[in-house]
Amino acid sequence: MKIVVLIKQVPATDKVKMDEESGTMIRDGVESEVNPLDLYAVEEAVRIKERIGNGVEIHVISMGPKKAEEALRSAIALGCDRAYLLSDRKFAGSDTWVTAYTLSAAIRKIVGDFDLILCGERATDGETGQVGPEVGAYLDLPILTYVSKIETLQDRKIIAQRAVEGGHEVVESPLPVLISVVKEINTPRMPNFSGKMKAKKAEIPVLTAEDIGADEARLGLKGSPTRVVKIFRPQVARKGTVVSCVGNLQGAVDGLVDFLEEKAMI
Amino acid sequence: MKERDYSQYKGVWVIGEVREGQIHAVSYELLAWGRGLADALAVDLAIVVLGKDIKDKVDELISRGADKVYVIDHPELEHFRVDPYSNILTALIEEYKPEVLIASATTMGRTLMPVLAVKLDAGLTADCTGLEIDPEERLLIQTRPAVGGNIMATIKTPVLRPQMATVRPKSKRPLPPDPGRKGEIILKEFGPEWLTSRVRRLDFIKEESEGAPIQDAECIVAFGKGLKDGRHVQLMQDLARIFEGSLGASRNATDLGWIPYSHQVGLSGKTVSPRLYFAFGISGAVQHLAGMSSAETIIAVNSDPEANIFNVADYGLVGDLFEVVPLLISRLKEKGKEA
Ligand SMILES: Cc1cc2nc3c(=O)[nH]c(=O)nc-3n(C[C@H](O)[C@H](O)[C@H](O)COP(=O)(O)OP(=O)(O)OC[C@H]3O[C@@H](n4cnc5c(N)ncnc54)[C@H](O)[C@@H]3O)c2cc1C
Ligand SMILES: Nc1ncnc2c1ncn2[C@@H]1O[C@H](COP(=O)(O)O)[C@@H](O)[C@H]1O
């Protein structure tokens, strides 16, 4: 069985710094990490491999700058077998649609036949959650989003639960299938020593647009149907009232009740 | 990219949602979004709904803003499944050629729209909080938060059609119904080859919790680690009940197992925009704010006057939630009696 995991390297969210004047993100010196929600996809792949044992191979793919190789090494440290980095100036500025096109071209070319593609629910930087289902659509796969549990995986079939509004939907799909997972699915492990050694030594091929045989007109900023025309800083601070309850509990709570009435909330 | 003629693309379409056999409220929110856009473009607003036994339930879609309602009513369409929904919608959109296509950023919209974007060869912007029309270019201006709410991005789709976006549930109020509004209901038929699905739905495990799913809730009573113990969730529930609200939680509170993960608000949880959001004992980490800062009104109670949550609160109380909440509940109950 061949499993493909898609991971993205993102700026560590709690370290994001903004240039207050220009309203842009300061990228210099900001640490990067594996998109936290992709670690659940990696973990689930590794668990499947541990459960089924021999014959399961996990291929992890990321598109990004050279530096994204670090993310791929950490996936190997966690138990993935092979990693590929898609990196080319021609990929720069891709929106989700083009990212998904590029990833699916790479999957076709380098992995060939596969049984399962796992990805995260969304990336913490772009936060679109679109890339997974778009890859599924490009590859014409059945798609299971928001998967919170894999119940069974046998006889070329998967039964899984999807966390949707109001509960969990139990669904069955043939393989191959694309799955995006939510945090509920597992608790990701930390890498162990032998994993780290393996990661250090792993060869990670860097693939270009040409290597994956992609149509250049569909790549990067040029190929992207959507355009970011402006970036600005949201007004987060509200001009709210803050009241202390110290020695004034009754007054503070009454004030709150009045406020709620004023806002027609009660 | 393919050179295609998009000059025939005209009109605004929204994709309605049916849950448990009923038109879901996000459909009316979408009509409110779509009405504004259609008026700005001086075109018709259409809504398309797929479901089972729904054709007699669509009148309100007209009274709340639709000019046209396309209905595909079939037992096989009772629940959202990617294959039949995306095949049918692709065919309809290629037939009617709307210039704008909007869905809600629910689990359905967020699954369906990316698939449609690929099938239709069109661009898609996720989870918008603002949509407008640029009057000169007649383009859809899409605004969405990114990077954990640290930035807002304004996005356009200059060439391809339709211009597609999902909008955050609860980010707009439905229009009041106008019983005099006129509109057209169009029933569309699709044969069995359109209705097959590779994915089968075997079962649905309903979550036993009071209140609506948090993405749909008008009021959310959220708590963090400051609640100290899972036993105290009951106190939160008591307050939520008064507002007919739902319970939300910080990651720390879900990690401690006080409440299922489906209630987590924030970067690795749900993004919510209720009318009223209470934050009890939540410090206000950026990752939490990413999920709730677009709420209409935010009330925060925290014992630490320096807590970051106060920076986004409309009304903040520095105090012990175990003193504030019981008193608040009794005050509200008194009000209830008065009313
Ligand atoms: C990649 C990533 C993703 C994340 N995603 C999320 C997410 O989706 N959602 C999320 O919430 N967090 C998320 N986090 C975690 C986030 O950074 C914070 O750690 C978390 O939100 C803190 O939860 P808290 O406010 O409940 O706990 P704490 O930060 O411990 O705050 C508890 C608060 O309770 C107050 N308090 C204590 N006792 C009382 C009392 N008696 N009365 C009133 N107030 C009291 C304290 O003053 C304090 O402010 C994420 C972090 C990372 C790195
Ligand atoms: N550049 C990328 N390289 C590899 N996988 C990606 C990339 N971008 C997104 N993904 C995958 O798609 C998921 C959704 O991402 P997004 O649509 O950007 O929120 C992520 O959790 C990843 O699994």
Side-chain angles (χ1 to χ4, degrees):
Chain A
M1 172 180 284
K2 251 192 216 172
I3 304 176
V4 178
V5 186
L6 303 176
I7 68 169
K8 186 178 188 187
Q9 192 180 47
V10 296
T13 46
D14 36 353
K15 312 248 164 49
V16 170
K17 290 210 176 60
M18 301 296 297
D19 182 330
E20 295 291 337
E21 266 177 22
S22 66
T24 54
M25 210 162 55
I26 303 170
R27 290 181 185 267
D28 294 340
V30 175
E31 283 169 54
S32 301
E33 60 185 11
V34 179
N35 173 30
L37 295 176
D38 294 349
L39 291 173
Y40 300 93
V42 170
E43 176 68 28
E44 199 58 26
V46 175
R47 288 189 186 189
I48 292 169
K49 183 168 114 178
E50 286 169 346
R51 220 163 40 229
I52 298 182
N54 276 345
V56 177
E57 230 176 61
I58 307 173
H59 296 242
V60 50
I61 303 179
S62 187
M63 177 180 113
K66 288 271 151 57
K67 204 170 133 209
E69 190 199 297
E70 298 159 13
L72 291 166
R73 285 200 194 276
S74 36
I76 291 193
L78 292 167
C80 295
D81 299 297
R82 284 191 214 179
Y84 309 89
L85 176 64
L86 314 182
S87 198
D88 189 324
R89 293 240 301 277
K90 294 185 184 118
F91 298 151
S94 299
D95 72 359
T96 66
W97 193 76
V98 165
T99 301
Y101 168 73
T102 311
L103 290 168
S104 47
I107 293 169
R108 267 203 202 103
K109 184 86 181 191
I110 56 187
V111 189
D113 287 333
F114 55 85
D115 301 282
L116 211 59
I117 301 178
L118 289 166
C119 63
E121 182 197 339
R122 60 196 144 110
T124 55
D125 57 348
E127 291 179 74
T128 81
Q130 285 173 187
V131 169
E134 283 172 345
V135 167
Y138 275 118
L139 297 171
D140 194 21
L141 300 173
I143 296 167
L144 305 179
T145 48
Y146 303 96
V147 168
S148 56
K149 187 178 184 186
I150 294 180
E151 289 189 351
T152 64
L153 180 61
Q154 57 195 36
D155 308 328
R156 310 280 318 145
K157 256 187 357 204
I158 184 168
I159 297 179
Q161 290 188 15
R162 300 179 62 229
V164 298
E165 292 85 355
H168 290 81
E169 186 183 55
V170 186
V171 287
E172 180 192 276
S173 169
L175 303 185
V177 63
L178 179 131
I179 290 177
S180 74
V181 302
V182 294
K183 188 190 139 186
E184 199 181 335
I185 196 166
N186 58 44
T187 309
R189 72 193 65 195
M190 300 299 267
N192 60 24
F193 180 73
S194 76
K196 283 186 187 160
M197 291 308 291
K198 207 174 130 210
K200 219 179 234 166
K201 283 186 283 184
E203 288 233 11
I204 299 184
V206 179
L207 305 169
T208 63
E210 206 181 348
D211 295 331
I212 60 171
D215 173 1
E216 292 208 3
R218 300 190 70 138
L219 296 179
L221 185 62
K222 196 164 50 119
S224 295
T226 60
R227 286 271 184 287
V228 176
V229 291
K230 194 171 87 188
I231 299 258
F232 60 100
R233 191 92 164 101
Q235 301 316 108
V236 267
R238 300 181 182 217
K239 288 209 176 48
T241 319
V242 179
V243 187
S244 172
C245 297
V246 181
N248 179 33
L249 183 64
Q250 306 274 345
V253 171
D254 286 343
L256 172 57
V257 173
D258 290 346
F259 176 82
L260 290 170
E261 271 186 328
E262 224 171 85
K263 289 263 167 187
M265 297 292 179
I266 42 179
Chain B
M1 220 172 294
K2 278 183 275 180
E3 287 299 326
R4 273 166 60 175
D5 178 14
Y6 291 112
S7 58
Q8 288 173 41
Y9 279 70
K10 203 168 170 220
V12 174
W13 273 38
V14 301
I15 300 176
E17 222 164 290
V18 176
R19 276 190 225 154
E20 298 186 353
Q22 301 301 323
I23 304 284
H24 190 266
V26 293
S27 314
Y28 304 118
E29 296 168 20
L30 287 168
L31 287 172
W33 278 110
R35 194 64 262 164
L37 301 175
D39 290 346
L41 288 164
V43 295
D44 277 353
L45 169 63
I47 183 165
V48 48
V49 280
L50 297 85
K52 175 190 170 205
D53 300 332
I54 47 158
K55 59 176 180 292
D56 301 326
K57 298 177 182 162
V58 295
D59 289 345
E60 197 178 335
L61 295 170
I62 291 173
S63 66
R64 288 190 189 263
D67 299 309
K68 291 195 172 120
V69 181
Y70 295 97
V71 183
I72 307 95
D73 194 327
H74 194 282
E76 287 292 328
L77 298 173
E78 180 173 11
H79 304 292
F80 163 62
R81 286 168 311 158
V82 176
D83 290 340
Y85 274 57
S86 65
N87 290 336
I88 289 172
L89 283 163
T90 302
L92 287 174
I93 289 157
E94 285 178 342
E95 180 181 351
Y96 291 98
K97 302 187 172 37
E99 64 205 286
V100 171
L101 178 66
I102 315 283
S104 191
T106 54
T107 59
M108 169 178 135
R110 284 174 158 253
T111 305
L112 178 62
M113 289 290 267
V115 175
L116 291 178
V118 170
K119 292 194 172 201
L120 294 164
D121 243 346
L124 169 63
T125 305
D127 210 19
C128 296
T129 51
L131 292 176
E132 281 167 331
I133 297 293
D134 175 333
E136 266 146 49
E137 297 180 305
R138 292 177 62 88
L139 283 180
L140 182 67
I141 315 280
Q142 308 154 80
T143 302
R144 67 181 305 264
V147 202
N150 279 296
I151 59 173
M152 299 294 284
T154 302
I155 295 168
K156 287 186 190 172
T157 314
V159 182
L160 303 187
R161 294 293 173 272
Q163 305 162 78
M164 301 175 58
T166 57
V167 290
R168 210 170 260 195
K170 295 282 157 201
S171 52
K172 197 158 199 102
R173 328 234 86 220
L175 301 169
D178 168 1
R181 269 201 89 209
K182 292 272 178 300
E184 198 185 339
I185 295 170
I186 303 127
L187 299 180
K188 301 292 284 187
E189 303 268 348
F190 284 84
E193 71 277 19
W194 292 90
L195 300 166
T196 57
S197 170
R198 290 169 287 185
V199 174
R200 278 205 309 146
R201 186 186 206 254
L202 304 179
D203 197 5
F204 190 78
I205 306 162
K206 228 178 142 104
E207 188 180 331
E208 297 301 331
S209 77
E210 269 184 60
I214 57 172
Q215 304 96 300
D216 298 337
E218 294 270 312
C219 168
I220 295 176
V221 175
F223 54 86
K225 209 176 165 186
L227 193 67
K228 300 208 164 61
D229 193 313
R231 294 182 279 136
H232 302 309
V233 174
Q234 192 53 48
L235 182 65
M236 298 287 104
Q237 186 67 68
D238 292 344
L239 181 64
R241 206 167 285 147
I242 295 175
F243 289 94
E244 292 175 28
S246 303
L247 295 178
S250 72
R251 187 175 82 173
N252 280 359
T254 50
D255 283 354
L256 286 161
W258 297 346
I259 189 159
Y261 162 71
S262 55
H263 295 262
Q264 183 183 315
V265 174
L267 197 61
S268 50
K270 302 284 180 336
T271 317
V272 296
S273 302
R275 277 193 76 205
L276 179 59
Y277 189 91
F278 286 98
F280 292 105
I282 293 177
S283 57
V286 287
Q287 296 90 356
H288 189 79
L289 303 189
M292 46 66 81
S293 55
S294 62
E296 191 178 314
T297 298
I298 298 171
I299 311 288
V301 178
N302 197 301
S303 47
D304 174 7
E306 301 297 319
N308 193 44
I309 192 77
F310 290 126
N311 289 325
V312 298
D314 296 287
Y315 202 95
L317 293 186
V318 180
D320 182 348
L321 76 90
F322 296 102
E323 289 174 13
V324 172
V325 178
L327 186 61
L328 178 61
I329 290 174
S330 73
R331 281 283 191 280
L332 291 167
K333 286 194 171 152
E334 283 163 30
K335 290 271 170 199
K337 265 183 212 131
E338 276 168 26

